[in-house]
Amino acid sequence: MALQGGFAEHISHLQALHVEAFEIRKLSDAVRPMDGLIMPGGESTVIGKLLKDLVIYDDLKKRINGGLPTFGTCAGMILLARQIAGTETAYFGAIDIVVKRNAYGRQLGSFSTEAEMKGIEGKIPMTFIRAPYIESVGASVEILSVVEGCIVAARKNNVLVTAFHPELTADNRLHQYFMDKVVLSRNGK
Ligand code: GLN
């Protein structure tokens, strides 16, 4: 999804894995055949507004609810969450998590660390930028990574979310994980 934010870096990571990618900027892009969708980081309020203004929202929501493999990073995770803590706002509501926006406060909003993630061997570099974290998850949501007591990655069926930006590091194992575990396993390949 290329309405705003860090989509170019996601596309580079996909290309490094020899995965074909195209940008979704308007409705005619959103209805093209696709095996998976990535929602990048950026500013969730801006992306949320553009989704509605450009009339892309309804089609994408239908596809995600229909099982389209979807990966949201940072603002992308906020857009996919069932609830944004302390607000009435929700966008796709595609995964049963409550997220807290700008959750680390001003000082700690942006930082890098290395931590483990279920399903990936060894530690992966994690870059957080004015990051949200996951405050709570519904019963059937799988927690994939916890950093300093906060949930930072989770998955339910076709929806994968991370509070951090894997596309801003040279490591593309998370994109590989999305391809292998979410996209290809769904298509039975
Ligand atoms: N703070 C942003 C938001 O609330 C998310 C930041 C990001 O995507 N890096 O949408």
Side-chain angles (χ1 to χ4, degrees), residues 23-130:
E23 295 177 1
I24 298 177
R25 294 176 175 277
K26 51 187 186 313
L27 184 59
S28 58
D29 304 322
V31 298
R32 279 176 66 176
M34 60 182 102
D35 297 310
L37 169 65
I38 295 184
M39 292 198 187
E43 192 54 44
S44 54
T45 48
V46 173
I47 302 175
K49 186 174 182 314
L50 287 170
L51 278 165
K52 299 260 164 95
D53 290 353
L54 299 166
V55 232
I56 295 176
Y57 173 83
D58 290 332
D59 278 271
L60 282 187
K61 185 172 169 127
K62 247 182 255 158
R63 295 180 84 158
I64 299 166
N65 287 345
L68 178 70
T70 305
F71 178 18
T73 61
C74 204
M77 173 175 94
I78 296 169
L79 291 166
L80 289 166
R82 177 179 63 78
Q83 197 193 328
I84 301 167
T87 76
E88 298 288 306
T89 315
Y91 298 94
F92 291 105
I95 180 166
D96 187 6
I97 58 174
V98 180
V99 296
K100 190 165 157 54
R101 289 184 66 203
N102 303 321
Y104 294 90
R106 240 184 244 175
Q107 300 289 309
L108 290 174
S110 305
F111 62 97
S112 292
T113 188
E114 288 202 333
E116 306 214 324
M117 176 162 152
K118 216 168 157 184
I120 296 180
E121 217 167 294
K123 290 190 170 182
I124 54 167
M126 298 179 178
T127 302
F128 294 82
I129 300 172
R130 293 185 9 101

Side-chain angles (χ1 to χ4, degrees), residues 158-178:
N158 61 313
V159 181
L160 171 69
V161 290
T162 64
F164 54 91
H165 292 269
E167 78 284 7
L168 295 182
T169 71
D171 193 308
N172 60 16
R173 281 177 295 165
L174 233 141
H175 290 77
Q176 184 78 60
Y177 174 98
F178 177 59

Side-chain angles (χ1 to χ4, degrees), residues 127-146:
T127 302
F128 294 82
I129 300 172
R130 293 185 9 101
Y133 62 64
I134 302 172
E135 218 172 55
S136 62
V137 302
S140 52
V141 173
E142 189 182 12
I143 294 172
L144 297 174
S145 183
V146 176

